[in-house]
Amino acid sequence: MISIAPSMLSADFLHLEKDVEMVNRHADLFHLDVMDGTFVPNISFGFPVINAIATKAARPLDVHLMIVHPEKYIERFARETGAAMISFHYEAAKEQSVDILRQIRDLGVKAGIVINPDCPVEVLFPLLKECDFVLIMSVFAGFGGQAFIESTYERIRALKAEIDRQGLRVPIEVDGGVSPANARALIEAGAEILVAGSSIFKAPDPAAAIAAMR
Ligand code: DX5
Ligand code: ZN
């Protein structure tokens, strides 16, 4: 089962309800990018915006934390926003990663870990059994609208092979520069959850862009 997760970072914040309803009708998940200006050189949105989206969301919320000290905020994201999936960056957590994955799972939320394009996929291998999904960045976290990094295919293939070798069922999510042009190749490499911001919300017809990806 392939899921399409529009990144609300590229939504129209003056008419957010319209974009929430579009996702409700045509997509599978709400991808919500939380940036703190420290882990990444950008600041996005937090609880007020996500809680507002949650009041109208008919699809699960997938919260992607690009913040230092994710452990401080996970409980609030779980309880307050009702997130179904929460991911945090390995680069922000390092040896605390297992504890944070367990913290997320203990709250009844699907736990995911994320790596940037310059982080070897091998760091994830010992963590896979603690994960409900993994998120591979195909751009450097921080901004929407960046160009897809081609080496992502090989990274997804290597990760998928290791997930299979360990006999696990851990879906791979991919985020950054995803569009109808590369969706098929990403799925063939082993991705199951496609995050897309600009290719959906900047398209003349967002629903058609989602349909093209499917
Ligand atoms: C980038 C975010 C992405 C971003 C994707 O740090 O994690 O979710 O919004 O946007 P596009 O699809 O435009 O690359
Ligand atoms: Zn994201």
Side-chain angles (χ1 to χ4, degrees), residues 53-72:
I53 291 172
T55 64
K56 298 278 175 173
R59 304 285 173 203
L61 307 187
D62 166 29
V63 175
H64 173 191
L65 297 178
M66 285 160 272
I67 64 175
V68 296
H69 297 299
E71 71 283 357
K72 286 191 191 169

Side-chain angles (χ1 to χ4, degrees), residues 17-114:
E17 187 169 0
K18 170 180 70 64
D19 284 347
V20 168
E21 280 165 3
M22 188 284 296
V23 175
N24 284 342
R25 275 197 303 277
H26 300 286
D28 305 295
L29 296 168
F30 286 88
H31 185 82
L32 300 157
D33 291 296
V34 178
M35 304 180 185
D36 67 356
T38 298
F39 179 69
V40 287
N42 196 11
I43 297 175
S44 57
F45 49 72
F47 295 107
V49 172
I50 298 179
N51 290 342
I53 291 172
T55 64
K56 298 278 175 173
R59 304 285 173 203
L61 307 187
D62 166 29
V63 175
H64 173 191
L65 297 178
M66 285 160 272
I67 64 175
V68 296
H69 297 299
E71 71 283 357
K72 286 191 191 169
Y73 292 98
I74 278 162
E75 185 162 355
R76 255 188 96 185
F77 278 105
R79 294 198 199 283
E80 202 173 303
T81 73
M85 301 162 68
I86 298 177
S87 59
F88 62 94
H89 275 257
Y90 171 81
E91 299 91 337
K94 299 271 176 63
E95 57 285 340
Q96 286 186 74
S97 295
V98 171
D99 290 343
I100 300 174
L101 287 163
R102 289 180 182 166
Q103 184 191 359
I104 299 171
R105 278 186 163 175
D106 286 348
L107 288 157
V109 176
K110 287 187 180 161
I113 191 157
V114 194

Side-chain angles (χ1 to χ4, degrees), residues 7 9 31 33 35 64 66 137 141-145 175-177 195-198:
S7 168
L9 191 61
H31 185 82
D33 291 296
M35 304 180 185
H64 173 191
M66 285 160 272
M137 293 305 300
F143 298 90
D175 181 6
V195 177
S198 31

